[in-house]
Amino acid sequence: MGLAAVISLAPVLWTVSTSFKNQLEAQRYPPSLLPQQVKLSNYTDLFTDSDFHAAAVTSIIVTVCVTVLVLAVAFPCAYALVRLNAYGSKLVLLLIALAQTVPAIVVLIPLYSTVAKFHLYDTRTALVLVYTGLLIPFSTLVLMGFIRSVPVEIEDAALVDGCGRLKVLLWIVLPMARPALATAAVFTAIYAWNEFLIAAVLGGERARPLTVLISHFVSQKTILWGPMTAAVCLVLLPVVVVVVLLQRQLVAGLAAGATKG
Amino acid sequence: MATTPAAGESAPPRRRLQRRGRRLSGLAFLSPALAILLIVIALPMAVGLYQSFTDMALTRPGAPDLVGLKNYQSRVLTSTFARAAGVTASIMVLSLAVQLPIGYYLALGLSRRIPGTSLFRTILTIPMMLTPVAVGLMWRFLSDPDLGFIRWIASLVERSAHPNLLGSPTGALLLIVGVSAWSHIPFVTLMLLAGLLGVPDELYEAAEVDGADRWRQRWHITLPGIAPVLLIVCVMRLAGDYRMFDLVYTVTNGGPGSSTRNLSMLAYFEGLQYYQIGRACAIAMAMAVLALPAFFAYRKVAKL
């Protein structure tokens, strides 16, 4: 156990330590465990870099939009799949299974030329739309598992009292489903923040999230370790904060998101 | 979906109308999701299938021509494709072989409810959720032959050790498997832990009374108990490593040479480096076909 914890953390801590070293110290071998002089310049350089700014803004906007959109669309969808035996259910489940097993690159190459045809190449709109499509399945599965676990009698009572389905969904199921919605939101937000391939294919200079920006560090001849590790740490920081604070939601969502329950 | 028992043909017409109304309002509820899934999943696959039969390339203006199966001959039935498929399969098999036993072992440890397990669980969850590109860059840095963490660790064991994982085909492949293990073992562990905690304690107590030893308990109680979860984990991990892109792209970029270029990388380079959309779509369609077993297995184990 202890060994596993060390193996989990040591690489991250090593990277954090390097991000505070100056270029000379970062390239020295044997390396120093802790920076001899704590340098903030790797970070301050990034904060004043306009490309980094733009990428951070793109990452944040896309993450927020995708999370809101996915929940707004997946919640009624999950309800219709579990409770209403809706027309089209089979097709939706088929598409969910496809999205979970077929590699993203399979849909991204055709999307690349299609998106260009609609003048959406290198726009945040395209990123939000495609991220949403690929992240709907996970949230739908999480929410389906939850809705199935709630007794149907409460809804039936409301229906007898003359409530429409929409009212039942918004006034009865929605308040109860708040924990499941939180779980789905946390996962969706992290996945959207982490996404790289979609943005690498469908985004250019304008719609470039942080993941794509930092990937350019390795394509340079000499890798600047200090700035690179600092950028990596900044991308990882929000994820680590969320994981530590919302541990319980994450563990709950893991099993629920893999199956229909 | 089985909230109401399927009524027979003889259901009163009013009831049948109600049911139809319910199914129609259900369609309204799921139509936004359906529309987006059709646009982002189904439509591109259909377009990709068509484009795979054309000579579409972004380097050349004008409408693409139909070329039949030419792209499949020149891009799929080749040794390059076979090698990429081999790399993909090696990564999948080796990763699973590493991740399952270690994940199981850790899950057993966590299931013993010793104080402090919740802290361990938090620590274990971190690598799983971290941004894959950032993780890849981090390991690219840690495995740098001249100044990385891996050289430093190796030098603690043997002073003159100077491993160059990124420079050797086997080393690079093992590095990818290792990084994948580092980030995915937590998933395996937490899933199996949920499975282990779902096995009722009474079964073990009964076995204890009957005098079954540890191994027999593992084999006859634990294994059948966690089998459904185990299957899901296998399918999810295999599908995940099949589509792996971010890690390979950042850690080795497919190198040295083409020794770690998997199918995703192959399709990516054909489409986005050489702009040969038709050929890239042929590779993508072949990838979709190869994913079919995972698709059917997933539908089965996830009950979709």
Side-chain angles (χ1 to χ4, degrees):
Chain A
M1 271 311 139
L3 182 67
V6 170
I7 294 175
S8 291
L9 285 183
V12 181
L13 296 178
W14 183 279
T15 308
V16 173
S17 155
T18 307
S19 70
F20 289 105
K21 295 175 184 173
N22 62 32
Q23 184 64 12
L24 212 64
E25 200 188 340
Q27 283 182 338
R28 193 162 54 219
Y29 190 89
S32 46
L33 276 186
L34 292 171
Q36 287 162 334
Q37 261 185 306
V38 175
K39 282 273 182 190
L40 291 173
S41 60
N42 291 327
Y43 288 96
T44 49
D45 286 355
L46 285 175
F47 286 137
T48 52
D49 182 63
S50 64
D51 281 346
F52 190 85
H53 256 265
V57 170
T58 299
S59 276
I60 292 168
I61 290 179
V62 170
T63 301
V64 171
C65 291
V66 168
T67 309
V68 171
L69 201 57
V70 163
L71 289 187
V73 166
F75 178 59
C77 176
Y79 183 73
L81 289 173
V82 174
R83 289 281 196 250
L84 305 179
N85 190 18
Y87 292 113
S89 295
K90 287 212 172 108
L91 184 58
V92 170
L93 291 175
L94 180 97
L95 289 170
I96 287 178
L98 267 183
Q100 297 282 73
T101 47
V102 170
I105 190 82
V106 172
V107 292
L108 285 176
I109 289 173
L111 273 173
Y112 176 55
S113 46
T114 314
V115 156
K117 203 170 285 169
F118 288 98
H119 305 290
L120 285 172
Y121 176 72
D122 196 11
T123 60
R124 288 171 188 159
T125 315
L127 298 192
V128 169
L129 180 69
V130 178
Y131 280 32
T132 302
L134 293 176
L135 289 175
I136 283 174
F138 183 88
S139 289
T140 306
L141 292 172
V142 169
L143 293 169
M144 281 175 80
F146 175 80
I147 293 171
R148 189 167 293 122
S149 71
V150 188
V152 71
E153 284 75 24
I154 310 169
E155 294 166 42
D156 287 343
L159 282 172
V160 170
D161 288 348
C163 276
R165 281 288 172 188
L166 190 62
K167 271 195 176 155
V168 170
L169 184 71
L170 291 179
W171 297 110
I172 297 173
V173 187
L174 185 66
M176 286 193 296
R178 251 177 301 183
L181 283 165
T183 300
V186 170
F187 269 96
T188 306
I190 293 182
Y191 285 149
W193 179 263
N194 287 352
E195 179 53 49
F196 167 69
L197 184 55
I198 299 172
V201 174
L202 302 179
E205 301 261 295
R206 280 175 299 138
R208 181 167 57 189
L210 286 172
T211 46
V212 176
L213 184 79
I214 64 171
S215 77
H216 293 318
F217 273 108
V218 279
S219 50
Q220 286 150 4
K221 274 254 162 59
T222 47
I223 304 175
L224 299 169
W225 295 118
M228 189 197 92
T229 48
V232 164
C233 290
L234 284 177
V235 172
L236 295 183
L237 183 68
V239 184
V240 173
V241 170
V242 170
V243 169
V244 171
L245 290 182
L246 302 174
Q247 171 67 15
R248 197 155 300 182
Q249 265 95 343
L250 285 170
V251 174
L254 205 60
T259 68
K260 214 169 80 176
Chain B
M1 228 148 300
T3 49
T4 48
E9 289 296 312
S10 59
R14 190 153 156 263
R15 180 93 52 85
R16 210 183 309 160
L17 265 179
Q18 259 181 1
R19 197 169 64 227
R20 188 167 298 167
R22 193 189 63 211
R23 298 190 66 184
L24 272 176
S25 62
L27 179 62
F29 282 176
L30 60 71
S31 53
L34 180 60
I36 296 178
L37 287 172
L38 284 173
I39 294 173
V40 176
I41 314 277
L43 188 73
M45 290 188 77
V47 170
L49 182 65
Y50 170 74
Q51 287 178 346
S52 73
F53 298 118
T54 71
D55 62 356
M56 185 172 180
L58 298 183
T59 49
R60 197 167 36 78
D65 291 320
L66 280 168
V67 293
L69 293 170
K70 208 177 127 208
N71 292 327
Y72 288 90
Q73 278 165 351
S74 72
R75 284 300 178 275
V76 176
L77 300 172
T78 58
S79 57
T80 311
F81 184 89
R83 200 173 320 130
V87 169
T88 310
S90 317
I91 292 175
M92 287 163 68
V93 172
L94 289 174
S95 295
L96 200 63
V98 172
Q99 292 171 18
L100 275 189
I102 299 180
Y104 177 70
Y105 179 76
L106 290 174
L108 271 186
L110 285 176
S111 73
R112 295 223 177 86
R113 291 168 232 219
I114 316 162
T117 43
S118 76
L119 177 66
F120 273 125
R121 214 161 51 187
T122 307
I123 292 173
L124 277 177
T125 324
I126 292 177
M128 177 181 78
M129 300 307 295
L130 293 182
T131 315
V133 169
V135 168
L137 289 172
M138 192 176 89
W139 282 96
R140 170 70 187 78
F141 160 62
L142 297 172
S143 62
D144 188 82
D146 291 326
L147 42 90
F149 179 66
I150 291 179
R151 179 187 176 188
W152 183 72
I153 293 281
S155 72
L156 296 181
V157 182
E158 195 193 318
R159 194 154 257 292
S160 62
H162 196 159
N164 185 358
L165 291 175
L166 291 168
S168 91
T170 323
L173 192 77
L174 291 179
L175 183 64
I176 301 249
V177 170
V179 177
S180 174
W182 184 80
S183 41
H184 298 305
I185 283 176
F187 170 79
V188 179
T189 305
L190 292 176
M191 291 287 284
L192 292 182
L193 177 64
L196 284 173
L197 295 178
V199 181
D201 284 339
E202 293 81 41
L203 289 179
Y204 292 107
E205 286 158 17
E208 204 81 46
V209 173
D210 290 345
D213 61 30
R214 233 265 137 111
W215 277 108
R216 294 180 66 110
Q217 290 183 18
R218 288 266 156 81
W219 187 252
H220 292 289
I221 299 173
T222 312
L223 201 61
I226 63 167
V229 180
L230 197 62
L231 273 177
I232 289 169
V233 169
C234 287
V235 174
M236 300 279 292
R237 281 315 320 140
L238 286 172
D241 285 328
Y242 178 65
R243 68 166 71 183
M244 184 194 290
F245 181 83
D246 306 12
L247 286 183
V248 182
Y249 185 84
T250 43
V251 177
T252 65
N253 202 14
S258 63
S259 55
T260 54
R261 192 193 292 157
N262 66 357
L263 289 172
S264 286
M265 291 284 288
L266 190 70
Y268 178 84
F269 276 116
E270 196 69 50
L272 286 123
Q273 217 80 342
Y274 308 127
Y275 300 113
Q276 299 292 330
I277 300 298
R279 292 173 186 168
C281 282
I283 298 173
M285 286 303 121
M287 286 181 72
V289 170
L290 290 176
L292 280 180
F295 168 73
F296 289 119
Y298 179 75
R299 290 197 78 178
K300 187 133 207 161
V301 296
K303 293 177 240 149
L304 280 179

